[in-house]
Amino acid sequence: MNKAATYTATLSLLFCCIFFAPQVSCAQTRGKVQVLKDPLIDTLIARRPYLNKTIASGSDVGSSGFRLQIYFGSSRQAAYDAQSKFTNEFPEIPTYVSYVEPNFKVQVGDFRTRLEAQKLQSELNGMFSSFFIIPTKINPPKPDNAE
């Protein structure tokens, strides 16, 4: 019986070493994790929406909307004359002059809806020989800061 007791004791010790020893040696303690990162990462995260947008050449980041094109032609002087004529009548509405070889374009306004652009179009009857509404990217209006 002595051999059987020794065999059982050895077997149970071996079982304990194989089963419980790895669990005890892999136990983890709680601690703090310190993250070290470059401050420029926060800057990139903040700029991510602007970096992911595809920007067409010559246009800024904006939203979809409409502008009224009041001039289209090859004369630079006529384009700037049309811009100044419009600015004298409507100084609060922004104007945009662009050049795509060989023509100049003068577009006015940043309208979110076609209805807003049509409202200005009805006011311009007789002021310009031809004008029409162009769907394009617009500069969204700046929020009013009420103080």
Side-chain angles (χ1 to χ4, degrees):
M1 282 220 187
N2 196 7
K3 283 186 174 184
T6 306
Y7 181 73
T8 306
T10 307
L11 189 59
S12 60
L13 181 63
L14 183 62
F15 177 77
C16 288
C17 289
I18 291 174
F19 188 75
F20 291 113
Q23 292 178 353
V24 172
S25 65
C26 294
Q28 296 180 0
T29 60
R30 293 187 182 247
K32 289 193 313 185
V33 175
Q34 184 178 9
V35 178
L36 301 175
K37 66 178 177 177
D38 191 352
L40 291 176
I41 291 175
D42 292 330
T43 305
L44 284 174
I45 290 171
R47 293 183 59 198
R48 182 177 176 211
Y50 299 106
L51 294 174
N52 286 341
K53 289 186 179 181
T54 56
I55 301 172
S57 61
S59 68
D60 292 333
V61 175
S63 58
S64 296
F66 300 91
R67 288 190 178 145
L68 207 61
Q69 184 166 303
I70 59 173
Y71 177 80
F72 180 82
S74 60
S75 171
R76 171 187 252 169
Q77 187 60 44
Y80 286 113
D81 288 345
Q83 181 188 26
S84 64
K85 182 179 178 182
F86 180 83
T87 304
N88 287 339
E89 291 293 320
F90 303 95
E92 70 282 353
I93 299 176
T95 60
Y96 304 94
V97 177
S98 61
Y99 177 72
V100 178
E101 192 173 347
N103 294 312
F104 288 90
K105 297 177 189 176
V106 180
Q107 296 179 352
V108 299
D110 289 317
F111 305 108
R112 291 186 178 175
T113 64
R114 182 176 287 275
L115 188 61
E116 293 173 351
Q118 287 173 340
K119 189 175 178 182
L120 178 64
Q121 186 179 21
S122 66
E123 293 179 29
L124 293 179
N125 279 335
M127 194 172 177
F128 294 97
S129 59
S130 66
F131 48 87
F132 48 96
I133 297 171
I134 303 287
T136 186
K137 293 283 186 185
I138 62 167
N139 300 321
K142 295 189 179 2
D144 296 333
N145 293 334
E147 294 181 26

